[in-house]
Amino acid sequence: MKRITSSLIALAVIGSSHLPWVLAQSTTLQAPTRATIFVSDPSLRIDEPESSKSIYYSQKEIEFDAREALETIKKLSGGIDEIMEQVDKLDKEFGDNNKQYKQTKREILQVVSDLDNAKDSLSTSVKKISYYQTQMVESAAKIEEIRGQIEETREYIERFTTFLYKFHNDLYNDQGDIDELKLFLKTESHIGDQLSNSFLVEEMIVKLEELMGVLKKEEKKQVMNVRRSNEFKRKAQDTIDHYQTRIDDLNQKRLYLLDFLALYAENSEKIEGSIKSLFDTRIEAHNLILDTINEIHSKKYTTPFNVESKIASLNAMKPYAQLENTFPFDWPIYPINDINYFFMDEEYKEEYGVDIPGIEIPSVQRTPMYAPKDGFVYKIANKDGIGFNWMIIYHKEWYISVYKFVNEFLVKEGQLVRQGELIGYTGGEPWEKWAWFIAQGPNLTFMIAQHGEFLDPLSVVDLSVVKNRGILPKKYKIEALKALYQRPREMYKLTFMKGDTPDERFETFLKTYGVGIYRDPLFWQDAAQWSNISPKLGACIGFAESTLGNHLTTLNNIGNVGNNDRWDRVNYMSPLQGASLIFSTMNNIYLWHYNTIAELNGYANKDGKKYATSEYNWQNNVIKCLSMIEGYHVPDNYPFRLAPNPNRSKK
């Protein structure tokens, strides 16, 4: 007779109420350690067979109304017609003789052309999203159907294994042979009947194996359907994000053009004067910034708030984290892929007729912008009309920082700001509000002054952060190498993950080190939903705490949330709940005011509340993980908020 395997017996012992838990369990729980040591050998990852329990099935709702989107596109089209009607009226009034109007009209028509061309691509995006939504509904129906089949098959298997287990215990010894004494005591005079029944059991085992084969096929089919559903959700969300960004961008341009044309028609002489000076706006802004810096240096303040009081408050501010061997300033945006113009760049002066006492960093429109040092907002030039925005922050040690081409401010004049705090979003997209057509593309122009004199920003920031250090002037290339070799934990030896983009490298990292559903980027996106924190950071914390599921201390608690040095231990109902708590913890009442990774752990935050008490390994793992994913050497003081903390307004 065939021997009953131990795994089948185990299934019978556990019973139906605990069966899903066993099949879902992906790793062996291990005793907690103070911190995970960075795993450099991916072969140490725990492998497991892929099944419907180990693959992540995203049930996140995709919110998108196709009818509403098409109506928005229709309004955009109507707005273009309205713009052209305004242009026709101005043509009749000013004709082709007004050179200033002709120059302005050329810029307007270029934007109108861009708006018109974008309509078709937006309509295509809406059709794609609708198709993805239809496919997701169909996939969900198939998943539910197969899920029912799998559960039914498992019930049959459980009944068989329960019966076989009982029979095995009644008649067999520990070696798997028939125990004659047990047989005699059990059957008395009906030994022959019992032995014949044993042959019936053997046939049942054959049937059981057939059922296991059916289960295997159903599992394989389910995995394929889950993958398909997840892929449609990824594509749908990516297309929605692209559509929303594009429609917001185009509507902002449309509304700005309509406002401008209405003003032009109402008071052409005044607007023409503004337009004429607009081409010299960089010079005007430069002079205004110089005047403001001189005002600060001479202490002849013109602000509506008490500057001396703000300076006293700033000097009394204590940092949440103390890092050694730091630079005077952090970078205001990340990543630093390139620099358009350097300090006192001659090409800039030739192009715009004014010096650039700073650097111009190209950036994606609305890139998060952070305070590079503790300070308070001295001045915000928020141009609601023609022109562009800029801001000045006052720092300790008589430093001043300047930011030009800001799309949105998240701070106000007189407000104290912490190093790494989100202060706004970059701008510079031509013909959007606060950029008009003087901007050549999205960027942040960043300047630093001390004692009234401008400094080269590259002399006071960590150059090892620059992704392509080959772009740096010769004198700074050596400084960049020095900065890299002076970084702790031998960052210069770090190898980035394969991939052309952070998202591709993120996927590679998860597949290299993760276990089960923790290997899916979509899982981390769902976990990070509404937190305004990057899914990549959450995954890196999961890596630092449990090596992405390889060393779980408690069930589903990949981030060790609630597990502490007092040996309190917490389990969670699902992997998604455990991962989501990583993000909600960083937004809770204890950590909501932190902005940088260094503030979250004991490496630099010695006395305050923190996510992790580790004094080295946690910071080491998170920074290395993020660097491998982002594709550059992430600084220890890396700011992690992509938008304001959603809980901050409640504090």
Side-chain angles (χ1 to χ4, degrees):
M1 178 182 290
K2 294 184 180 180
R3 177 99 184 267
I4 303 173
T5 63
S6 60
S7 59
L8 293 180
I9 295 173
L11 284 172
V13 172
I14 290 166
S16 61
S17 62
H18 300 290
L19 185 61
W21 180 88
V22 173
L23 294 175
Q25 184 66 9
S26 60
T27 63
T28 302
L29 300 183
Q30 298 190 0
T33 56
R34 289 188 65 81
T36 305
I37 303 301
F38 190 86
V39 177
S40 58
D41 184 1
S43 66
L44 297 177
R45 179 175 59 82
I46 300 170
D47 282 316
E48 62 174 15
E50 193 171 52
S51 69
S52 62
K53 293 292 186 179
S54 67
I55 190 171
Y56 178 61
Y57 173 40
S58 173
Q59 299 186 59
K60 172 186 173 185
E61 294 291 331
I62 299 293
E63 298 179 2
F64 185 79
D65 189 327
R67 290 184 179 179
E68 184 179 327
L70 291 172
E71 187 63 30
T72 301
I73 295 171
K74 186 177 178 181
K75 288 180 181 177
L76 178 65
S77 180
I80 294 172
D81 294 339
E82 190 177 351
I83 290 169
M84 291 310 301
E85 288 176 7
Q86 292 274 33
V87 171
D88 288 341
K89 290 179 182 178
L90 293 175
D91 276 347
K92 292 176 183 178
E93 184 172 350
F94 298 104
D96 295 329
N97 297 324
N98 189 315
K99 292 182 180 180
Q100 191 65 63
Y101 172 70
K102 286 173 65 177
Q103 187 174 5
T104 305
K105 181 182 174 181
R106 279 197 300 271
E107 297 288 346
I108 292 171
L109 293 179
Q110 179 59 52
V111 178
V112 169
S113 176
D114 292 343
L115 291 170
D116 198 46
N117 292 335
K119 289 188 301 180
D120 292 337
S121 65
L122 288 172
S123 297
T124 301
S125 295
V126 173
K127 290 177 183 177
K128 282 184 179 179
I129 295 166
S130 297
Y131 169 75
Y132 295 145
Q133 287 179 314
T134 301
Q135 294 301 311
M136 284 188 295
V137 171
E138 292 179 3
S139 295
K142 289 178 181 177
I143 288 169
E144 287 304 313
E145 179 184 352
I146 296 175
R147 179 180 288 167
Q149 294 170 359
I150 289 174
E151 290 304 319
E152 186 177 349
T153 304
R154 282 181 177 152
E155 286 180 13
Y156 281 124
I157 291 173
E158 184 189 336
R159 292 173 191 170
F160 275 121
T161 52
T162 301
F163 172 79
L164 293 174
Y165 172 71
K166 290 179 179 178
F167 186 82
H168 183 276
N169 278 355
D170 285 346
L171 298 180
Y172 287 80
N173 59 28
D174 293 340
Q175 287 72 43
D177 301 320
I178 292 178
D179 188 311
E180 294 180 0
L181 179 60
K182 285 185 177 181
L183 180 63
F184 177 78
L185 294 174
K186 176 70 178 175
T187 60
E188 296 181 352
S189 61
H190 303 290
I191 295 176
D193 292 340
Q194 286 295 329
L195 288 175
S196 63
N197 287 341
S198 68
F199 289 106
L200 177 61
V201 171
E202 184 173 353
E203 292 181 10
M204 293 179 68
I205 292 175
V206 173
K207 182 63 177 177
L208 178 60
E209 289 176 344
E210 291 177 2
L211 284 171
M212 293 295 286
V214 170
L215 180 62
K216 186 176 180 181
K217 289 179 181 178
E218 290 173 344
E219 285 280 359
K220 186 175 181 180
K221 194 185 297 183
Q222 188 74 318
V223 167
M224 291 177 61
N225 278 309
V226 169
R227 280 180 176 168
R228 188 168 181 265
S229 175
N230 286 348
E231 184 60 25
F232 282 128
K233 286 191 178 182
R234 284 192 191 96
K235 289 180 177 179
Q237 193 59 60
D238 288 347
T239 309
I240 290 170
D241 291 343
H242 177 267
Y243 164 83
Q244 197 59 58
T245 299
R246 189 71 177 127
I247 201 73
D248 290 346
D249 171 46
L250 294 171
N251 272 325
Q252 190 174 128
K253 290 182 178 182
R254 175 182 65 83
L255 292 171
Y256 193 37
L257 276 177
L258 286 171
D259 289 346
F260 168 76
L261 290 171
L263 286 170
Y264 198 103
E266 181 181 334
N267 193 341
S268 61
E269 290 184 6
K270 180 180 178 181
I271 296 299
E272 278 188 13
S274 298
I275 293 173
K276 186 175 181 180
S277 66
L278 185 60
F279 294 94
D280 298 324
T281 300
R282 288 179 187 264
I283 298 175
E284 290 186 350
H286 177 75
N287 291 334
L288 284 171
I289 290 167
L290 281 179
D291 290 343
T292 306
I293 290 175
N294 288 331
E295 170 187 308
I296 295 170
H297 182 59
S298 62
K299 299 183 179 181
K300 297 178 180 179
Y301 310 122
T302 59
T303 59
F305 55 86
N306 187 316
V307 174
E308 295 294 346
S309 174
K310 293 294 179 182
I311 292 174
S313 298
L314 173 60
N315 290 332
M317 282 176 64
K318 302 296 181 185
Y320 297 131
Q322 291 278 10
L323 287 167
E324 297 180 1
N325 302 320
T326 57
F327 291 81
F329 278 79
D330 289 341
W331 289 89
I333 62 173
Y334 297 92
I336 308 299
N337 294 321
D338 200 358
I339 295 177
N340 289 338
Y341 295 103
F342 293 95
F343 186 72
M344 296 300 181
D345 200 311
E346 287 297 325
E347 291 184 12
Y348 185 95
K349 189 171 184 178
E350 290 176 10
E351 179 75 19
Y352 301 109
V354 64
D355 287 325
I356 177 170
I359 56 177
E360 184 179 288
I361 311 168
S363 64
V364 176
Q365 183 80 350
R366 290 188 61 80
T367 294
M369 191 171 71
Y370 305 97
K373 190 180 181 72
D374 289 351
F376 65 86
V377 181
Y378 185 85
K379 185 175 181 62
I380 291 178
N382 194 347
K383 304 292 185 181
D384 288 327
I386 299 172
F388 65 89
N389 287 350
W390 51 274
M391 173 172 60
I392 288 180
I393 297 180
Y394 182 102
H395 306 280
K396 294 178 182 179
E397 300 172 344
W398 302 280
Y399 279 113
I400 302 294
S401 60
V402 183
Y403 314 81
K404 293 167 61 177
F405 293 108
V406 181
N407 182 266
E408 181 184 357
F409 296 103
L410 296 176
V411 291
K412 57 186 179 181
E413 288 184 349
Q415 181 177 331
L416 289 166
V417 292
R418 290 272 184 181
Q419 188 171 22
E421 183 175 344
L422 186 65
I423 57 176
Y425 298 99
T426 62
E429 177 71 24
W431 269 104
E432 282 200 8
K433 200 171 185 180
W434 311 298
W436 218 56
F437 55 77
I438 61 164
Q440 300 302 309
N443 76 87
L444 174 67
T445 302
F446 180 52
M447 306 174 187
I448 294 174
Q450 188 180 35
H451 300 298
E453 299 293 330
F454 283 108
L455 306 176
D456 186 347
L458 298 185
S459 67
V460 291
V461 295
D462 181 358
L463 297 177
S464 71
V465 173
V466 178
K467 186 173 182 180
N468 177 16
R469 290 184 282 276
I471 66 169
L472 296 172
K474 186 176 180 180
K475 67 177 181 177
Y476 284 120
K477 288 179 181 177
I478 296 175
E479 294 301 320
L481 284 176
K482 284 182 181 177
L484 180 59
Y485 277 83
Q486 288 172 359
R487 292 276 295 272
R489 65 191 70 91
E490 297 183 326
M491 291 290 287
Y492 62 89
K493 293 184 178 180
L494 194 67
T495 301
F496 303 132
M497 302 306 293
K498 291 182 179 179
D500 296 328
T501 66
D503 286 343
E504 289 179 6
R505 290 188 290 271
F506 185 38
E507 186 172 357
T508 303
F509 187 91
L510 294 178
K511 287 182 177 178
T512 302
Y513 291 105
V515 171
I517 64 175
Y518 299 122
R519 304 177 72 190
D520 194 327
L522 188 58
F523 169 84
W524 291 102
Q525 290 176 24
D526 288 356
Q529 188 178 22
W530 313 121
S531 69
N532 294 338
I533 295 171
S534 168
K536 299 177 180 67
L537 174 59
C540 285
I541 291 175
F543 176 79
E545 293 287 349
S546 64
T547 326
L548 282 174
N550 281 278
H551 302 92
L552 290 175
T553 300
T554 50
L555 183 62
N556 294 324
N557 196 348
I558 189 171
N560 279 326
V561 176
N563 295 344
N564 55 40
D565 294 339
R566 299 189 304 271
W567 282 84
D568 294 330
R569 295 292 173 256
V570 183
N571 297 316
Y572 293 109
M573 293 296 295
S574 70
L576 186 61
Q577 182 190 28
S580 298
L581 282 166
I582 294 175
F583 301 93
S584 59
T585 298
M586 287 188 280
N587 286 336
N588 70 16
I589 59 174
Y590 302 107
L591 309 181
W592 67 273
H593 52 291
Y594 291 157
N595 302 295
T596 68
I597 292 173
E599 294 169 339
L600 292 174
N601 69 104
Y603 176 70
N605 180 356
K606 304 299 182 183
D607 302 319
K609 300 288 186 181
K610 61 204 74 160
Y611 185 103
T613 58
S614 167
E615 295 184 355
Y616 181 81
N617 286 325
W618 195 92
Q619 178 83 6
N620 175 53
N621 291 345
V622 172
I623 292 298
K624 282 187 175 179
C625 170
L626 276 175
S627 297
M628 293 166 74
I629 292 169
E630 295 293 347
Y632 66 93
H633 295 94
V634 168
D636 279 322
N637 230 21
Y638 187 72
F640 60 82
R641 299 199 183 278
L642 304 179
N645 182 345
N647 294 335
R648 186 160 190 171
S649 60
K650 302 174 185 178
K651 309 301 180 213

